[in-house]
Amino acid sequence: LPLCNGREARETQPSVIALPVPFPFGGNDEIANKAINACAPDTAAAFIEWLLEESGWTVTDQPDMNLQRPIQAGDVCVLFRRFMSHGVDVTQEYVRCLEARGIRHVLIGSKSFHHREEVATIRTALRAIEWPDDELSVFAVVRGSLFGVDDGTLLKFRKQVGRLHPFLNLGDELAPEFEPIRDALALLADLHRRRNYRPIADTIRRLMEHTRAHAGFAFRPGGERVLANVYRVADLARSFEACRPTSFRAFVEYLESEAEVGEMSEAPILERQSDGVKLMTVHKSKGLEFPVVILADPAAKLAGAEGGSRYVDPDQRLCAQRLLGWAPWELLDHAAEEAQQEREEADRLAYVAATRARDLLVVMAVGEKELEDRWLSPLWPALYPRREHWRNPSRPPGCPVKGDTTVLDRPLAHYGVDSSIRPGLHRSQRGVEVVWFDPAVLRLRVRMQSGVAYENILKGSAEQKLEGVRRYKEWQRRKAEAIEAGSQHEFEVIAATEFQDELGSDIPFELVPLGEDRGGRPAGRSFGTLVHALLAEADDIAELARLAEIHGQILRVGAEERHAAVAAARRAFQHELLKEAAKAERRHRELPFVLPLPGGRVLEGVIDLAYFDGSVWTVVDIKTGSADRLRYRRQLQLYGYALRRITGQPVRAVLLEV
């Protein structure tokens, strides 16, 4: 079905732009995927820079669609068909090009966490802490961004003093120029000694604080994302320690193994911080809308392996797929069918990508020819004009034009008649007005700035620098005070099962055993949980079997245990106590409570059954196993004490053994 526009196009700026890659020719003087992939990130970043700083274009401002405002970085979304290609994250070059231009951005769902330089820096430092004899790792830490000792000093140290080892006795006569090395080695030695006596995250924190790495990482281009990735290493350490018996070495080896696989996503950035250009896959963008959408990575394939990559037959419970380039006969027999399905899925993916744009859709393409079997190929009829009209555009609205070609570097073999689409306003094969943008307008091949992103921080007089140090130390003092204040708890929450005081000892108590011989029936936590679930949810005996079937599957208990639980719950339902509860004025099952106590303590628990007959509350605790009756009596009377304090009514306690 044809798509219909949702609002009228503006005369001062286009709605659909074809963004040509300016250097599509490879070393063999032919259009090559490698050349396209090399220049596409820089082209996309340069266009975004022009869009934000020079275009003067506006977008509609929701919820009032009649209001217009200038385009901001957060309005732009760059969509990809894939993030990984042959083990390489294709988004990283786009990120570097945006960072080179100082454009804020947020990468959503990238799988390149362990390939980030800041993560490799921390991983190398942890390796040096665990294995101080690994001189290469120690050298990398001392030479790297955490300490930054220059090569000349390190070579001189090696010649005059000896090898880099954290436990090397350097003596008191060390030259002043080697003091940074002494400091670095002393820190690594101290962290090594104590690594297995403190949490792993604490070791990482001490490393970061001693080297003031937070500031160094924050001043880098994209510092927000860099810091988030560094903090995620500490989060991984906490998770690693929480889920398994471990050691510092085990965590370092875990990071090394994960780095080899390289499939971990980068740390997410909070939405309130993500006011920059968004980079994500089309699958992540489903259901979302953005004012400006750029469809990137134009060389990505339309579908997977030739003939389909997978064949699924649900009736036979069969899934046949390629492995190491080999395909089973079931897949080969249905190759044409699977290939057609993959092409149809590729069409749907291109449709989803193109319909994410609200005001402006930008599609990266090649002005020299229509590439076949690419993920954006379904859009070519709506993007490319007819061949005879390639060199006859109209003047584009709101777009400057400097040249007459969309290919800026043509090989000698192709000099002569320019066969590329000429920049300007064209009418596509489907009758859509499309502006083919002039790449000569863009500021291409911008190099990444070395050093910190905010160099003005390092400028200023001596007095300003001293003031900065004073303010930093003041901030450290206030931070320590805040941590100390936050570590003092305001109240202590105590579960009723762990409470030791004799509160509620005056609550009348009654023991009601149902008198069954339990020797032959199941026991254990799952059986007790199942009986409690039946008594908590069933309103009459007829529902017990159905509920036992449902909860039995959840708890993974067998038929014998389910039948025994139904029998126990049926006996409880037939007892006068539960019959009286069913007729009560007020009745609560699985009733949670929270009761403040003197001394900053808070008591909490869950009452199995409580009902009010108009004069007295009855608290019932149900036990299925051989219980410590004295302990459960205290617990039940404590429940009664809490209910009496909350309601102001008299309470009695009953322990029901089913």
Side-chain angles (χ1 to χ4, degrees), residues 218-232:
F219 288 152
R220 293 184 183 185
E224 186 177 271
R225 184 162 61 100
V226 172
L227 267 183
N229 285 330
V230 172
Y231 284 132
R232 189 174 187 192

Side-chain angles (χ1 to χ4, degrees), residues 141-422:
V141 174
V142 178
R143 176 65 181 84
S145 58
L146 293 180
F147 293 96
V149 180
D150 62 87
D151 288 328
T153 304
L154 285 168
L155 288 171
K156 191 174 180 180
F157 178 91
R158 179 62 183 268
K159 183 177 181 179
Q160 294 184 8
V161 180
R163 60 182 301 218
L164 280 170
H165 196 288
F167 292 97
L168 185 67
N169 185 7
L170 298 177
D172 298 328
E173 302 299 327
L174 194 67
E177 63 180 316
F178 296 147
E179 286 300 323
I181 300 178
R182 182 206 293 272
D183 182 51
L185 297 180
L187 176 64
L188 293 176
D190 179 69
L191 294 177
H192 172 81
R193 291 189 190 98
R194 302 174 185 272
R195 71 197 188 286
N196 289 323
Y197 298 95
R198 57 166 65 115
I200 300 172
D202 190 46
T203 298
I204 299 174
R205 178 186 64 80
R206 291 171 185 269
L207 171 69
M208 298 280 290
E209 289 189 352
H210 185 92
T211 58
R212 295 185 64 187
H214 301 87
F217 287 136
F219 288 152
R220 293 184 183 185
E224 186 177 271
R225 184 162 61 100
V226 172
L227 267 183
N229 285 330
V230 172
Y231 284 132
R232 189 174 187 192
V233 177
D235 291 338
L236 287 174
R238 296 186 187 96
S239 302
F240 188 82
E241 287 185 301
C243 65
R244 68 192 82 177
T246 187
S247 64
F248 189 87
R249 175 172 297 185
F251 178 67
V252 176
E253 291 174 342
Y254 163 75
L255 286 182
E256 296 291 341
S257 63
E258 287 294 311
E260 291 180 5
V261 177
E263 290 295 322
M264 185 174 292
S265 61
E266 293 195 33
I269 305 294
L270 297 178
E271 286 299 324
R272 64 179 177 85
Q273 299 173 331
S274 58
D275 56 347
V277 175
K278 299 170 181 62
L279 298 92
M280 64 176 73
T281 62
V282 179
H283 293 286
K284 286 276 187 182
S285 71
K286 289 182 178 179
L288 303 177
E289 183 184 58
F290 307 93
V292 180
V293 169
I294 300 175
L295 305 186
D297 193 17
K301 289 289 187 179
L302 178 72
E306 183 180 354
S309 60
R310 174 185 298 116
Y311 169 68
V312 178
D313 187 343
D315 295 334
Q316 299 185 35
R317 301 176 60 83
L318 169 68
C319 176
Q321 64 182 37
R322 294 180 182 270
L323 180 63
L324 301 176
W326 295 81
W329 283 113
E330 291 84 355
L331 176 58
L332 296 177
D333 291 341
H334 297 83
E337 174 189 342
E338 291 301 310
Q340 179 62 25
Q341 290 187 9
E342 289 199 3
R343 293 188 66 87
E344 292 173 358
E345 177 60 24
D347 287 347
R348 289 190 286 270
L349 192 69
Y351 165 81
V352 170
T355 53
R356 299 310 94 196
R358 192 180 75 211
D359 295 271
L360 174 63
L361 174 65
V362 181
V363 184
M364 300 196 72
V366 175
E368 189 72 15
K369 72 172 185 178
E370 300 179 34
L371 298 180
E372 298 179 356
D373 294 326
R374 298 301 190 271
W375 83 280
L376 296 174
S377 295
L379 303 179
W380 292 163
L383 204 70
Y384 282 83
R386 297 187 184 279
R387 171 68 68 167
E388 58 268 23
H389 299 308
W390 278 27
R391 304 296 298 172
N392 301 309
S394 304
R395 183 160 188 83
C399 297
V401 176
K402 288 187 175 181
D404 61 354
T405 180
T406 50
V407 177
L408 300 186
D409 188 8
R410 186 176 298 278
L412 291 176
H414 292 267
Y415 266 110
V417 179
D418 194 333
S419 58
S420 69
I421 298 177
R422 186 170 183 173

